[in-house]
Structures are given as C-alpha cells and as structure tokens.
Amino acid sequence: MPTPCAHSVQRVLALSKAAEAVRRGGLRFFADARARRDASQSPLNAKQRLGVQKAHSRELFSPRHRLVFCPIEKVTSTAWIKIVSLAATGRPMSYRETNEARGRGTLPALNALPIEQQLHAIHCDDFVKVVVVRDPLERLLSAYLDKCHHTPYGPGHIKEHCTKRTDGRVPRFEEVVSNLAARADAGEDLCGENQHFAPQVCFCGLSDSRNAGAGAVARYQHVLHMSSATFVEDAHSLLRLLGLGRIASMYLPKFTAGSGHRTNTSRHIEEYFTPTTVRAALRALSASCSFARRAKRAWRQRLRVRRSPGAA
C-alpha cells in the first residue's frame, strides 16, 4: 500500500505536543483528540492494522530526532534502548521499562503513534531508521553464554530462557545448535523461539516474507554491524549526526564486538564452535546470514582448517 510521505513529517511532528505530555505524565498518544481522529480515518482495514502491529511491535521512536530504532536482543540493545529512551522521554529506560511502554502505547515505543503514522515513520525517508545486526553465530553463542551458562540471575532465569526443551537440564551448546538446526530443517518457523535465540530476521519485519513488514530491512538507511571492526566508530558518528553524541558517550562503550558484555563471547568462540556446529548453526540461521552479511572473521577461517575429531 503506497504511503503518502510528503506530509509524513508534519503529521507525525504535529503530535509533538502530545509527545511532551507523554514525557511528562505518561499519557497515551491515543488520548490526544487528533491522534484518535487520525486513527479512526486510517485507510487500513482491521487485518492490515493487525499486520502492522505484529510487524512493528518493538521499534523505538524519538519524535524530536525523527529516529526509529529496531532493538534486537544480544546486539548492544541495552545501550541503544537507554539512548533512544533518553532522547524520546528525557529518562533512560531499562529493557523491562520499554516493554511496559509498548504495552501502554507510550514513548519511546513506536506504537505511541497511530498506526498510519507508524507506517509513515517506517516507510518514509524523512525519518532515520537504524538497526544493529550481528554475526548470527556470535549472537547465538552470546545468547547461550548469557542465558544458559554465565547468567548471574539464578535458576529461574535459566528456566525461563534456556531449559524449556530439556526438562530443566541446562543443555550443552551443541545440543542447542542441533535442536535449532533440526527444527529449521523440518520447516519450523524459529521466530517462535525465545527472543534471544530467535533469528534476527524475526524482528521489526526484517524478513522478506513476513506480514506487513516484508522487506523492511531495505527501508533501514543505517544497518550497523556489531561484528564489524568499525562498529563503535560508525555508531558514534551516526548518533553525533542526530544530535545524540553526548548521550552516546554515556551509554555506548568503546568495546570491540563480543568483549563488552560479561559473557565476553569473542574469547569463547573456538571453545564452543566446531566445524559441525558451525554448519548446523548456519542451517538454522540462514535467513539472518543473508542480511547480516557475515563478516570474514578470523576464527571462522581457523575452524575450517581445524577439523573436529572424526571429521572427513
């Protein structure tokens, strides 16, 4: 469906007064009369509106900076959530708090806007769209180490994120990978997996084949690669251009991919991955590999040379 981008900035920024009310008092955008009127006059039918809600249920939005950000777990999302929420509301929020904001329909959640304006923000070049992606294999290991192995949150956290398929037993990494690969080979949609392990294409409509957000990755002007050697420099440069340089310096540390988190994934890559698990993980995460453009990491080359015991 074509979206009239010519008036998108004016229509969204016309809600800035309501946005300030949200920032001060936590009121919903839909409490504003103009927002209610625009939503009621939307040309979308009920099915299309539901598709938009599903595809774009997690994006964060700062009206003042015309910024739309797609947070993906295990891809520096904690830092970016704080940056965007502080820009949008004047207060840095946690992962849990942004989930609550989505449920209420308040900033920094994109669904603070009526659905038609959400589409404008997603489709139109007037708004800066940013997503950070990561080498899918490194992200998978980071999720395992954080949720199944090195987690400081205790047994309840491990049960919630890691042991539902193993009767409470913490699985080995190769078990997690082989399970995901087998389900993908059987045609199962892994987007129903725990959000830390689900493929990156499952989020923000990034897949080329899912509902109303089909092909949304092409609409993101800035696709930053956490696995890139220039990631931190690229991120800080972009945020400075958006007027968020000071906030970025507070929350986006200068670390190399995988070394800034307590799991320190980069130090464990060759401990956990073998040629067999690499091949299985690539089968499970093939869709994410296609858009994340896996970097030519030195560890992957070493694994090609080093054969696992009994491998041909």
Side-chain angles (χ1 to χ4, degrees):
M1 187 190 89
T3 53
C5 292
H7 303 293
S8 60
V9 173
Q10 293 80 1
R11 295 190 70 177
V12 173
L13 296 185
L15 295 171
S16 60
K17 188 174 182 180
E20 288 301 312
V22 171
R23 184 179 69 80
R24 292 193 302 270
L27 302 175
R28 296 186 55 163
F29 264 60
F30 281 98
D32 177 73
R34 177 176 295 172
R36 288 200 305 271
R37 185 192 65 200
D38 288 347
S40 67
Q41 295 176 355
S42 172
L44 300 177
N45 61 38
K47 184 176 181 180
Q48 289 171 324
R49 291 171 68 85
L50 181 60
V52 174
Q53 290 171 343
K54 287 184 176 180
H56 302 297
S57 61
R58 64 166 42 220
E59 285 98 322
L60 303 180
F61 178 60
S62 175
R64 186 175 305 166
H65 303 89
R66 300 182 187 178
L67 170 63
V68 177
F69 175 70
C70 171
I72 299 177
E73 284 81 358
K74 307 310 303 172
V75 192
T76 67
S77 59
T78 300
W80 284 86
I81 284 171
K82 290 184 181 297
I83 291 168
V84 179
S85 61
L86 179 56
T89 71
R91 183 174 71 86
M93 295 185 181
S94 66
Y95 180 89
R96 177 183 57 80
E97 288 173 317
T98 54
N99 280 337
E100 293 171 350
R102 292 186 187 100
R104 294 191 303 266
T106 59
L107 288 176
L110 181 65
N111 68 2
L113 293 172
I115 287 179
E116 189 179 19
Q117 276 71 50
Q118 292 179 44
L119 283 176
H120 291 162
I122 288 293
H123 285 264
C124 299
D125 290 339
D126 299 304
F127 299 89
V128 177
K129 271 81 69 177
V130 181
V131 62
V132 182
V133 297
R134 185 178 187 177
D135 180 298
L137 275 64
E138 293 181 0
R139 177 175 177 268
L140 177 59
L141 178 57
S142 179
Y144 175 79
L145 294 176
D146 188 29
K147 303 305 173 185
C148 303
H149 192 62
H150 293 163
T151 180
Y153 303 116
H157 192 79
I158 292 176
K159 181 178 180 180
E160 177 186 356
H161 293 289
C162 189
T163 61
K164 290 183 178 179
R165 297 181 183 276
T166 55
D167 298 323
R169 175 181 55 83
V170 176
R172 302 188 307 277
F173 180 63
E174 55 266 31
E175 289 182 87
V176 172
V177 175
S178 61
N179 175 272
L180 291 173
R183 290 159 57 199
D185 291 343
E188 182 177 339
D189 183 359
L190 296 182
C191 289
E193 184 57 63
N194 177 278
Q195 68 269 25
H196 298 85
F197 295 91
Q200 293 166 86
V201 293
C202 298
F203 306 115
C204 303
L206 294 176
S207 168
D208 289 331
S209 61
R210 292 173 62 84
N211 57 45
V217 69
R219 295 191 288 272
Y220 279 78
Q221 302 103 322
H222 300 280
V223 181
L224 304 180
H225 294 261
M226 182 179 167
S227 301
S228 166
T230 62
F231 164 66
V232 173
E233 178 183 347
D234 295 342
H236 279 275
S237 296
L238 172 61
L239 290 166
R240 281 196 298 270
L241 287 173
L242 293 172
L244 295 171
R246 183 183 63 82
I247 297 177
S249 65
M250 295 166 56
Y251 295 108
L252 193 64
K254 296 183 180 298
F255 62 89
T256 55
S259 65
H261 196 276
R262 63 175 173 271
T263 58
N264 212 340
T265 302
S266 60
R267 295 187 180 181
H268 295 285
I269 288 286
E270 292 174 73
E271 175 186 350
Y272 284 88
F273 272 112
T274 67
T276 300
T277 52
V278 167
R279 287 191 292 271
L282 290 176
R283 296 204 314 275
L285 304 173
S286 58
S288 290
C289 294
S290 66
F291 83 86
R293 296 202 312 272
R294 291 179 293 115
K296 295 181 179 179
R297 310 286 278 176
W299 66 263
R300 193 171 286 122
Q301 180 60 40
R302 290 195 294 271
L303 280 174
R304 291 192 185 101
V305 175
R306 187 193 72 195
R307 292 290 182 263
S308 59

PDB file of all heavy atoms in Angstrom, residues 2-15 34 37-38 61 66 113 116-121 123-127:
ATOM      1  N   PRO A   2       0.685   2.170  -0.971  1.00  0.00           N
ATOM      2  CA  PRO A   2       1.519   3.365  -1.006  1.00  0.00           C
ATOM      3  C   PRO A   2       1.289   4.233   0.221  1.00  0.00           C
ATOM      4  O   PRO A   2       0.172   4.342   0.717  1.00  0.00           O
ATOM      5  CB  PRO A   2       1.056   4.064  -2.284  1.00  0.00           C
ATOM      6  CG  PRO A   2      -0.334   3.572  -2.502  1.00  0.00           C
ATOM      7  CD  PRO A   2      -0.356   2.167  -2.008  1.00  0.00           C
ATOM      8  N   THR A   3       2.330   4.843   0.703  1.00  0.00           N
ATOM      9  CA  THR A   3       2.198   5.723   1.859  1.00  0.00           C
ATOM     10  C   THR A   3       2.546   7.141   1.445  1.00  0.00           C
ATOM     11  O   THR A   3       3.600   7.373   0.850  1.00  0.00           O
ATOM     12  CB  THR A   3       3.124   5.278   2.999  1.00  0.00           C
ATOM     13  OG1 THR A   3       4.444   5.161   2.472  1.00  0.00           O
ATOM     14  CG2 THR A   3       2.689   3.953   3.562  1.00  0.00           C
ATOM     15  N   PRO A   4       1.697   8.102   1.715  1.00  0.00           N
ATOM     16  CA  PRO A   4       1.931   9.482   1.294  1.00  0.00           C
ATOM     17  C   PRO A   4       3.001  10.142   2.146  1.00  0.00           C
ATOM     18  O   PRO A   4       2.718  10.753   3.174  1.00  0.00           O
ATOM     19  CB  PRO A   4       0.556  10.136   1.499  1.00  0.00           C
ATOM     20  CG  PRO A   4      -0.077   9.340   2.588  1.00  0.00           C
ATOM     21  CD  PRO A   4       0.440   7.928   2.440  1.00  0.00           C
ATOM     22  N   CYS A   5       4.262  10.027   1.709  1.00  0.00           N
ATOM     23  CA  CYS A   5       5.361  10.507   2.540  1.00  0.00           C
ATOM     24  C   CYS A   5       5.477  12.018   2.572  1.00  0.00           C
ATOM     25  O   CYS A   5       6.117  12.577   3.452  1.00  0.00           O
ATOM     26  CB  CYS A   5       6.678   9.908   2.051  1.00  0.00           C
ATOM     27  SG  CYS A   5       6.799   8.126   2.306  1.00  0.00           S
ATOM     28  N   ALA A   6       4.887  12.685   1.599  1.00  0.00           N
ATOM     29  CA  ALA A   6       5.074  14.133   1.501  1.00  0.00           C
ATOM     30  C   ALA A   6       4.665  14.859   2.780  1.00  0.00           C
ATOM     31  O   ALA A   6       5.267  15.863   3.145  1.00  0.00           O
ATOM     32  CB  ALA A   6       4.277  14.671   0.319  1.00  0.00           C
ATOM     33  N   HIS A   7       3.643  14.371   3.448  1.00  0.00           N
ATOM     34  CA  HIS A   7       3.147  15.055   4.641  1.00  0.00           C
ATOM     35  C   HIS A   7       3.482  14.298   5.928  1.00  0.00           C
ATOM     36  O   HIS A   7       2.980  14.643   6.986  1.00  0.00           O
ATOM     37  CB  HIS A   7       1.629  15.233   4.544  1.00  0.00           C
ATOM     38  CG  HIS A   7       1.197  15.971   3.320  1.00  0.00           C
ATOM     39  ND1 HIS A   7       1.478  17.293   3.112  1.00  0.00           N
ATOM     40  CD2 HIS A   7       0.521  15.545   2.223  1.00  0.00           C
ATOM     41  CE1 HIS A   7       0.978  17.677   1.935  1.00  0.00           C
ATOM     42  NE2 HIS A   7       0.408  16.638   1.383  1.00  0.00           N
ATOM     43  N   SER A   8       4.340  13.292   5.804  1.00  0.00           N
ATOM     44  CA  SER A   8       4.561  12.428   6.965  1.00  0.00           C
ATOM     45  C   SER A   8       5.222  13.163   8.114  1.00  0.00           C
ATOM     46  O   SER A   8       4.851  12.986   9.267  1.00  0.00           O
ATOM     47  CB  SER A   8       5.399  11.211   6.567  1.00  0.00           C
ATOM     48  OG  SER A   8       6.659  11.618   6.053  1.00  0.00           O
ATOM     49  N   VAL A   9       6.220  14.002   7.818  1.00  0.00           N
ATOM     50  CA  VAL A   9       6.910  14.709   8.898  1.00  0.00           C
ATOM     51  C   VAL A   9       5.934  15.613   9.643  1.00  0.00           C
ATOM     52  O   VAL A   9       5.847  15.594  10.862  1.00  0.00           O
ATOM     53  CB  VAL A   9       8.075  15.544   8.331  1.00  0.00           C
ATOM     54  CG1 VAL A   9       8.674  16.419   9.434  1.00  0.00           C
ATOM     55  CG2 VAL A   9       9.144  14.631   7.774  1.00  0.00           C
ATOM     56  N   GLN A  10       5.177  16.394   8.882  1.00  0.00           N
ATOM     57  CA  GLN A  10       4.251  17.316   9.517  1.00  0.00           C
ATOM     58  C   GLN A  10       3.200  16.586  10.338  1.00  0.00           C
ATOM     59  O   GLN A  10       2.859  17.008  11.441  1.00  0.00           O
ATOM     60  CB  GLN A  10       3.555  18.179   8.448  1.00  0.00           C
ATOM     61  CG  GLN A  10       4.492  19.145   7.718  1.00  0.00           C
ATOM     62  CD  GLN A  10       5.308  18.478   6.622  1.00  0.00           C
ATOM     63  OE1 GLN A  10       5.154  17.284   6.382  1.00  0.00           O
ATOM     64  NE2 GLN A  10       6.173  19.245   5.992  1.00  0.00           N
ATOM     65  N   ARG A  11       2.724  15.462   9.809  1.00  0.00           N
ATOM     66  CA  ARG A  11       1.645  14.745  10.503  1.00  0.00           C
ATOM     67  C   ARG A  11       2.162  14.119  11.794  1.00  0.00           C
ATOM     68  O   ARG A  11       1.468  14.115  12.806  1.00  0.00           O
ATOM     69  CB  ARG A  11       1.053  13.670   9.599  1.00  0.00           C
ATOM     70  CG  ARG A  11       0.367  14.246   8.373  1.00  0.00           C
ATOM     71  CD  ARG A  11      -0.401  13.203   7.634  1.00  0.00           C
ATOM     72  NE  ARG A  11      -1.575  12.795   8.395  1.00  0.00           N
ATOM     73  CZ  ARG A  11      -2.469  11.925   7.945  1.00  0.00           C
ATOM     74  NH1 ARG A  11      -2.330  11.393   6.748  1.00  0.00           N
ATOM     75  NH2 ARG A  11      -3.499  11.587   8.679  1.00  0.00           N
ATOM     76  N   VAL A  12       3.380  13.582  11.749  1.00  0.00           N
ATOM     77  CA  VAL A  12       3.908  12.955  12.962  1.00  0.00           C
ATOM     78  C   VAL A  12       4.352  14.015  13.960  1.00  0.00           C
ATOM     79  O   VAL A  12       4.045  13.944  15.153  1.00  0.00           O
ATOM     80  CB  VAL A  12       5.066  12.017  12.613  1.00  0.00           C
ATOM     81  CG1 VAL A  12       5.727  11.499  13.882  1.00  0.00           C
ATOM     82  CG2 VAL A  12       4.571  10.835  11.787  1.00  0.00           C
ATOM     83  N   LEU A  13       5.058  15.009  13.484  1.00  0.00           N
ATOM     84  CA  LEU A  13       5.543  16.024  14.408  1.00  0.00           C
ATOM     85  C   LEU A  13       4.417  16.896  14.937  1.00  0.00           C
ATOM     86  O   LEU A  13       4.589  17.591  15.941  1.00  0.00           O
ATOM     87  CB  LEU A  13       6.613  16.871  13.733  1.00  0.00           C
ATOM     88  CG  LEU A  13       7.884  16.104  13.344  1.00  0.00           C
ATOM     89  CD1 LEU A  13       8.930  17.058  12.796  1.00  0.00           C
ATOM     90  CD2 LEU A  13       8.448  15.336  14.534  1.00  0.00           C
ATOM     91  N   ALA A  14       3.259  16.893  14.267  1.00  0.00           N
ATOM     92  CA  ALA A  14       2.101  17.608  14.808  1.00  0.00           C
ATOM     93  C   ALA A  14       1.672  17.018  16.140  1.00  0.00           C
ATOM     94  O   ALA A  14       0.960  17.647  16.915  1.00  0.00           O
ATOM     95  CB  ALA A  14       0.942  17.550  13.819  1.00  0.00           C
ATOM     96  N   LEU A  15       2.132  15.791  16.407  1.00  0.00           N
ATOM     97  CA  LEU A  15       1.804  15.152  17.679  1.00  0.00           C
ATOM     98  C   LEU A  15       2.840  15.473  18.762  1.00  0.00           C
ATOM     99  O   LEU A  15       2.820  14.897  19.846  1.00  0.00           O
ATOM    100  CB  LEU A  15       1.734  13.632  17.492  1.00  0.00           C
ATOM    101  CG  LEU A  15       0.613  13.145  16.570  1.00  0.00           C
ATOM    102  CD1 LEU A  15       0.782  11.667  16.282  1.00  0.00           C
ATOM    103  CD2 LEU A  15      -0.730  13.408  17.184  1.00  0.00           C
ATOM    104  N   ARG A  34      -6.496  14.529  18.194  1.00  0.00           N
ATOM    105  CA  ARG A  34      -6.048  14.415  16.815  1.00  0.00           C
ATOM    106  C   ARG A  34      -5.589  12.998  16.509  1.00  0.00           C
ATOM    107  O   ARG A  34      -5.855  12.461  15.438  1.00  0.00           O
ATOM    108  CB  ARG A  34      -4.907  15.388  16.551  1.00  0.00           C
ATOM    109  CG  ARG A  34      -4.326  15.278  15.145  1.00  0.00           C
ATOM    110  CD  ARG A  34      -3.267  16.324  14.917  1.00  0.00           C
ATOM    111  NE  ARG A  34      -3.835  17.675  14.954  1.00  0.00           N
ATOM    112  CZ  ARG A  34      -3.101  18.784  14.936  1.00  0.00           C
ATOM    113  NH1 ARG A  34      -1.796  18.702  14.875  1.00  0.00           N
ATOM    114  NH2 ARG A  34      -3.683  19.966  14.967  1.00  0.00           N
ATOM    115  N   ARG A  37      -8.594  10.857  15.999  1.00  0.00           N
ATOM    116  CA  ARG A  37      -9.242  11.120  14.720  1.00  0.00           C
ATOM    117  C   ARG A  37      -8.446  10.501  13.564  1.00  0.00           C
ATOM    118  O   ARG A  37      -8.995   9.866  12.671  1.00  0.00           O
ATOM    119  CB  ARG A  37      -9.369  12.631  14.503  1.00  0.00           C
ATOM    120  CG  ARG A  37     -10.137  13.007  13.239  1.00  0.00           C
ATOM    121  CD  ARG A  37      -9.969  14.486  12.951  1.00  0.00           C
ATOM    122  NE  ARG A  37      -8.571  14.776  12.630  1.00  0.00           N
ATOM    123  CZ  ARG A  37      -8.031  15.998  12.700  1.00  0.00           C
ATOM    124  NH1 ARG A  37      -8.759  17.004  13.131  1.00  0.00           N
ATOM    125  NH2 ARG A  37      -6.771  16.187  12.383  1.00  0.00           N
ATOM    126  N   ASP A  38      -7.105  10.675  13.604  1.00  0.00           N
ATOM    127  CA  ASP A  38      -6.284  10.119  12.523  1.00  0.00           C
ATOM    128  C   ASP A  38      -6.402   8.606  12.483  1.00  0.00           C
ATOM    129  O   ASP A  38      -6.444   7.996  11.415  1.00  0.00           O
ATOM    130  CB  ASP A  38      -4.829  10.521  12.716  1.00  0.00           C
ATOM    131  CG  ASP A  38      -4.598  12.002  12.417  1.00  0.00           C
ATOM    132  OD1 ASP A  38      -5.502  12.621  11.843  1.00  0.00           O
ATOM    133  OD2 ASP A  38      -3.518  12.508  12.772  1.00  0.00           O
ATOM    134  N   PHE A  61      11.130   4.993  19.192  1.00  0.00           N
ATOM    135  CA  PHE A  61      10.941   6.182  18.372  1.00  0.00           C
ATOM    136  C   PHE A  61      11.229   7.436  19.186  1.00  0.00           C
ATOM    137  O   PHE A  61      10.768   7.571  20.325  1.00  0.00           O
ATOM    138  CB  PHE A  61       9.487   6.201  17.878  1.00  0.00           C
ATOM    139  CG  PHE A  61       9.101   7.392  17.063  1.00  0.00           C
ATOM    140  CD1 PHE A  61       9.758   7.686  15.881  1.00  0.00           C
ATOM    141  CD2 PHE A  61       8.058   8.214  17.472  1.00  0.00           C
ATOM    142  CE1 PHE A  61       9.382   8.788  15.118  1.00  0.00           C
ATOM    143  CE2 PHE A  61       7.671   9.314  16.710  1.00  0.00           C
ATOM    144  CZ  PHE A  61       8.343   9.596  15.525  1.00  0.00           C
ATOM    145  N   ARG A  66      13.481  12.398  14.920  1.00  0.00           N
ATOM    146  CA  ARG A  66      12.962  11.662  13.764  1.00  0.00           C
ATOM    147  C   ARG A  66      13.696  10.321  13.623  1.00  0.00           C
ATOM    148  O   ARG A  66      14.072   9.897  12.531  1.00  0.00           O
ATOM    149  CB  ARG A  66      13.109  12.471  12.473  1.00  0.00           C
ATOM    150  CG  ARG A  66      12.367  13.789  12.501  1.00  0.00           C
ATOM    151  CD  ARG A  66      12.506  14.528  11.200  1.00  0.00           C
ATOM    152  NE  ARG A  66      11.936  15.865  11.281  1.00  0.00           N
ATOM    153  CZ  ARG A  66      11.957  16.746  10.302  1.00  0.00           C
ATOM    154  NH1 ARG A  66      12.514  16.431   9.155  1.00  0.00           N
ATOM    155  NH2 ARG A  66      11.418  17.942  10.450  1.00  0.00           N
ATOM    156  N   LEU A 113       2.447   6.121  18.391  1.00  0.00           N
ATOM    157  CA  LEU A 113       1.813   6.777  17.252  1.00  0.00           C
ATOM    158  C   LEU A 113       0.626   5.964  16.768  1.00  0.00           C
ATOM    159  O   LEU A 113       0.634   4.739  16.864  1.00  0.00           O
ATOM    160  CB  LEU A 113       2.805   6.908  16.094  1.00  0.00           C
ATOM    161  CG  LEU A 113       4.004   7.837  16.272  1.00  0.00           C
ATOM    162  CD1 LEU A 113       4.953   7.661  15.100  1.00  0.00           C
ATOM    163  CD2 LEU A 113       3.551   9.273  16.394  1.00  0.00           C
ATOM    164  N   GLU A 116      -1.307   4.561  11.209  1.00  0.00           N
ATOM    165  CA  GLU A 116      -0.968   5.194   9.944  1.00  0.00           C
ATOM    166  C   GLU A 116       0.344   5.967  10.054  1.00  0.00           C
ATOM    167  O   GLU A 116       1.183   5.935   9.153  1.00  0.00           O
ATOM    168  CB  GLU A 116      -2.087   6.113   9.488  1.00  0.00           C
ATOM    169  CG  GLU A 116      -1.884   6.644   8.075  1.00  0.00           C
ATOM    170  CD  GLU A 116      -3.024   7.546   7.628  1.00  0.00           C
ATOM    171  OE1 GLU A 116      -3.748   8.044   8.503  1.00  0.00           O
ATOM    172  OE2 GLU A 116      -3.182   7.725   6.407  1.00  0.00           O
ATOM    173  N   GLN A 117       0.539   6.672  11.172  1.00  0.00           N
ATOM    174  CA  GLN A 117       1.791   7.411  11.361  1.00  0.00           C
ATOM    175  C   GLN A 117       2.972   6.467  11.613  1.00  0.00           C
ATOM    176  O   GLN A 117       4.107   6.792  11.275  1.00  0.00           O
ATOM    177  CB  GLN A 117       1.642   8.400  12.517  1.00  0.00           C
ATOM    178  CG  GLN A 117       1.005   9.724  12.128  1.00  0.00           C
ATOM    179  CD  GLN A 117      -0.474   9.562  11.826  1.00  0.00           C
ATOM    180  OE1 GLN A 117      -1.206   8.974  12.622  1.00  0.00           O
ATOM    181  NE2 GLN A 117      -0.925  10.069  10.705  1.00  0.00           N
ATOM    182  N   GLN A 118       2.706   5.308  12.200  1.00  0.00           N
ATOM    183  CA  GLN A 118       3.777   4.316  12.318  1.00  0.00           C
ATOM    184  C   GLN A 118       4.293   3.921  10.941  1.00  0.00           C
ATOM    185  O   GLN A 118       5.502   3.816  10.713  1.00  0.00           O
ATOM    186  CB  GLN A 118       3.265   3.074  13.061  1.00  0.00           C
ATOM    187  CG  GLN A 118       2.954   3.283  14.529  1.00  0.00           C
ATOM    188  CD  GLN A 118       2.436   2.010  15.169  1.00  0.00           C
ATOM    189  OE1 GLN A 118       2.965   0.923  14.947  1.00  0.00           O
ATOM    190  NE2 GLN A 118       1.387   2.129  15.973  1.00  0.00           N
ATOM    191  N   LEU A 119       3.366   3.698  10.007  1.00  0.00           N
ATOM    192  CA  LEU A 119       3.760   3.337   8.645  1.00  0.00           C
ATOM    193  C   LEU A 119       4.543   4.468   7.986  1.00  0.00           C
ATOM    194  O   LEU A 119       5.526   4.222   7.277  1.00  0.00           O
ATOM    195  CB  LEU A 119       2.527   3.000   7.813  1.00  0.00           C
ATOM    196  CG  LEU A 119       1.911   1.618   8.057  1.00  0.00           C
ATOM    197  CD1 LEU A 119       0.645   1.451   7.232  1.00  0.00           C
ATOM    198  CD2 LEU A 119       2.909   0.521   7.714  1.00  0.00           C
ATOM    199  N   HIS A 120       4.114   5.708   8.221  1.00  0.00           N
ATOM    200  CA  HIS A 120       4.854   6.836   7.667  1.00  0.00           C
ATOM    201  C   HIS A 120       6.295   6.814   8.173  1.00  0.00           C
ATOM    202  O   HIS A 120       7.239   6.985   7.406  1.00  0.00           O
ATOM    203  CB  HIS A 120       4.186   8.154   8.052  1.00  0.00           C
ATOM    204  CG  HIS A 120       2.866   8.368   7.395  1.00  0.00           C
ATOM    205  ND1 HIS A 120       1.943   9.278   7.862  1.00  0.00           N
ATOM    206  CD2 HIS A 120       2.287   7.799   6.309  1.00  0.00           C
ATOM    207  CE1 HIS A 120       0.872   9.256   7.096  1.00  0.00           C
ATOM    208  NE2 HIS A 120       1.053   8.365   6.154  1.00  0.00           N
ATOM    209  N   ALA A 121       6.460   6.649   9.477  1.00  0.00           N
ATOM    210  CA  ALA A 121       7.799   6.672  10.057  1.00  0.00           C
ATOM    211  C   ALA A 121       8.665   5.535   9.515  1.00  0.00           C
ATOM    212  O   ALA A 121       9.863   5.709   9.289  1.00  0.00           O
ATOM    213  CB  ALA A 121       7.699   6.590  11.577  1.00  0.00           C
ATOM    214  N   HIS A 123       8.221   3.839   6.521  1.00  0.00           N
ATOM    215  CA  HIS A 123       8.392   3.821   5.070  1.00  0.00           C
ATOM    216  C   HIS A 123       9.075   5.055   4.505  1.00  0.00           C
ATOM    217  O   HIS A 123       9.631   4.995   3.410  1.00  0.00           O
ATOM    218  CB  HIS A 123       7.030   3.673   4.384  1.00  0.00           C
ATOM    219  CG  HIS A 123       6.456   2.298   4.466  1.00  0.00           C
ATOM    220  ND1 HIS A 123       6.594   1.367   3.456  1.00  0.00           N
ATOM    221  CD2 HIS A 123       5.772   1.672   5.441  1.00  0.00           C
ATOM    222  CE1 HIS A 123       5.991   0.249   3.805  1.00  0.00           C
ATOM    223  NE2 HIS A 123       5.485   0.407   5.000  1.00  0.00           N
ATOM    224  N   CYS A 124       8.993   6.174   5.188  1.00  0.00           N
ATOM    225  CA  CYS A 124       9.390   7.432   4.569  1.00  0.00           C
ATOM    226  C   CYS A 124      10.817   7.827   4.939  1.00  0.00           C
ATOM    227  O   CYS A 124      11.250   7.659   6.077  1.00  0.00           O
ATOM    228  CB  CYS A 124       8.427   8.536   4.985  1.00  0.00           C
ATOM    229  SG  CYS A 124       6.729   8.199   4.469  1.00  0.00           S
ATOM    230  N   ASP A 125      11.513   8.401   3.957  1.00  0.00           N
ATOM    231  CA  ASP A 125      12.902   8.779   4.161  1.00  0.00           C
ATOM    232  C   ASP A 125      13.061   9.980   5.075  1.00  0.00           C
ATOM    233  O   ASP A 125      14.188  10.331   5.443  1.00  0.00           O
ATOM    234  CB  ASP A 125      13.560   9.077   2.804  1.00  0.00           C
ATOM    235  CG  ASP A 125      13.751   7.820   1.966  1.00  0.00           C
ATOM    236  OD1 ASP A 125      13.765   6.720   2.561  1.00  0.00           O
ATOM    237  OD2 ASP A 125      13.879   7.937   0.731  1.00  0.00           O
ATOM    238  N   ASP A 126      11.946  10.645   5.408  1.00  0.00           N
ATOM    239  CA  ASP A 126      12.017  11.772   6.333  1.00  0.00           C
ATOM    240  C   ASP A 126      12.493  11.345   7.715  1.00  0.00           C
ATOM    241  O   ASP A 126      12.923  12.181   8.515  1.00  0.00           O
ATOM    242  CB  ASP A 126      10.639  12.429   6.484  1.00  0.00           C
ATOM    243  CG  ASP A 126      10.125  12.964   5.161  1.00  0.00           C
ATOM    244  OD1 ASP A 126      10.812  13.772   4.535  1.00  0.00           O
ATOM    245  OD2 ASP A 126       9.021  12.536   4.762  1.00  0.00           O
ATOM    246  N   PHE A 127      12.365  10.053   8.013  1.00  0.00           N
ATOM    247  CA  PHE A 127      12.736   9.534   9.320  1.00  0.00           C
ATOM    248  C   PHE A 127      13.960   8.634   9.198  1.00  0.00           C
ATOM    249  O   PHE A 127      14.086   7.859   8.248  1.00  0.00           O
ATOM    250  CB  PHE A 127      11.568   8.764   9.942  1.00  0.00           C
ATOM    251  CG  PHE A 127      10.362   9.626  10.143  1.00  0.00           C
ATOM    252  CD1 PHE A 127       9.411   9.759   9.157  1.00  0.00           C
ATOM    253  CD2 PHE A 127      10.195  10.349  11.310  1.00  0.00           C
ATOM    254  CE1 PHE A 127       8.303  10.577   9.319  1.00  0.00           C
ATOM    255  CE2 PHE A 127       9.100  11.171  11.491  1.00  0.00           C
ATOM    256  CZ  PHE A 127       8.157  11.285  10.493  1.00  0.00           C
TER     257      PHE A 127
END
